Amino acid sequence: VIPTVDPPYYAVIFASRHKGDDPEYAVIADRMMELAADQPGFLGMDSVREPGGSGITVCYWRDLASIRGWKEQAEHRHAQELGRQRFYSGFELCIARVEHRYAWEGQQP
Amino acid sequence: VIPTVDPPYYAVIFASRHKGDDPEYAVIADRMMELAADQPGFLGMDSVREPGGSGITVCYWRDLASIRGWKEQAEHRHAQELGRQRFYSGFELCIARVEHRYAWEGQQP
């Protein structure tokens, strides 16, 4: 969910290509989601993955310092290493400053 | 693919929940991808969708003017309307200014 706090805040957009369907991946991904949510400055996360294919995860943070904190978190660093060795054939990420948010909640039934 | 042009540029992050698996959706989504790629200021797009579930599309643009141009494009406006009426149960989007990009291409075999 894109956070409802007032902008500006930051998004880390992570686009990954997966080697295959390693059953360990979901375990690590779930743990990282749980761990990130406990980090200072965490505002929210959206993650979508096509089976066996590509994934996009967007993680929202209060500021650049909280992104740096998460990047350096020990258990997360270990997971990053595992990702490069085992799960991903490649990935890209970018850091972007969110300036505007819009939501459409749909027609209520 | 996250663009390799020098930042800053802009990302539109679109997170959608789908009503179901409407076969028309893929046709419209492909056409919009093709149309967006022809718009001035278009830099790239990544889109991932879980069957029957949630989707994330990130579209990259040179500046805010090109995002506005795409938003107002006539055929795209029609598709936006169709999305609200038929495909989505809800969506969120945000506009963010990309400040930093990083890529890891994996070990070569």
Side-chain angles (χ1 to χ4, degrees), chain A residues 58-71:
Chain A
V58 188
C59 199
Y60 298 94
W61 300 91
R62 188 69 273 182
D63 50 30
L64 293 172
S66 45
I67 294 174
R68 215 172 301 124
W70 172 235
K71 185 188 170 195

Side-chain angles (χ1 to χ4, degrees), chain A residues 1-2 48-50 56 84 88-97 99-106, chain B residues 1-2 48-50 56 60 84 88-97 99-106:
Chain A
V1 176
I2 302 178
V48 174
R49 193 183 159 217
E50 281 164 6
I56 299 177
R84 275 186 282 255
Y88 304 127
S89 55
F91 63 76
E92 299 150 21
L93 67 79
C94 70
I95 297 177
R97 186 177 184 269
E99 299 184 347
H100 177 76
R101 178 197 191 270
Y102 172 78
W104 179 75
E105 302 301 337
Chain B
V1 175
I2 302 178
V48 175
R49 193 182 159 216
E50 280 164 7
I56 300 178
Y60 298 94
R84 276 186 282 256
Y88 303 127
S89 56
F91 64 78
E92 299 151 20
L93 67 80
C94 71
I95 297 175
R97 185 177 184 271
E99 299 185 347
H100 178 76
R101 176 196 192 270
Y102 172 78
W104 180 75
E105 302 301 339

Side-chain angles (χ1 to χ4, degrees), chain B residues 68-83:
Chain B
R68 216 172 300 124
W70 172 235
K71 187 187 169 197
E72 303 295 339
Q73 203 278 347
E75 194 178 338
H76 182 217
R77 284 180 69 130
H78 179 69
Q80 290 170 52
E81 195 48 42
L82 210 59

Side-chain angles (χ1 to χ4, degrees), chain A residues 9-83:
Chain A
Y9 50 89
Y10 284 83
V12 178
I13 304 170
F14 181 78
S16 54
R17 293 174 300 282
H18 293 248
K19 279 181 188 167
D21 280 319
D22 192 317
E24 188 77 4
Y25 175 78
V27 178
I28 307 277
D30 285 354
R31 172 65 185 145
M32 287 306 112
M33 224 175 263
E34 193 183 279
L35 197 61
D38 278 342
Q39 285 288 116
F42 176 88
L43 297 177
M45 189 187 271
D46 285 311
S47 192
V48 174
R49 193 183 159 217
E50 281 164 6
S54 304
I56 299 177
T57 297
V58 188
C59 199
Y60 298 94
W61 300 91
R62 188 69 273 182
D63 50 30
L64 293 172
S66 45
I67 294 174
R68 215 172 301 124
W70 172 235
K71 185 188 170 195
E72 303 295 339
Q73 203 278 348
E75 194 178 337
H76 181 217
R77 283 180 69 130
H78 180 69
Q80 291 170 51
E81 195 47 42
L82 210 59

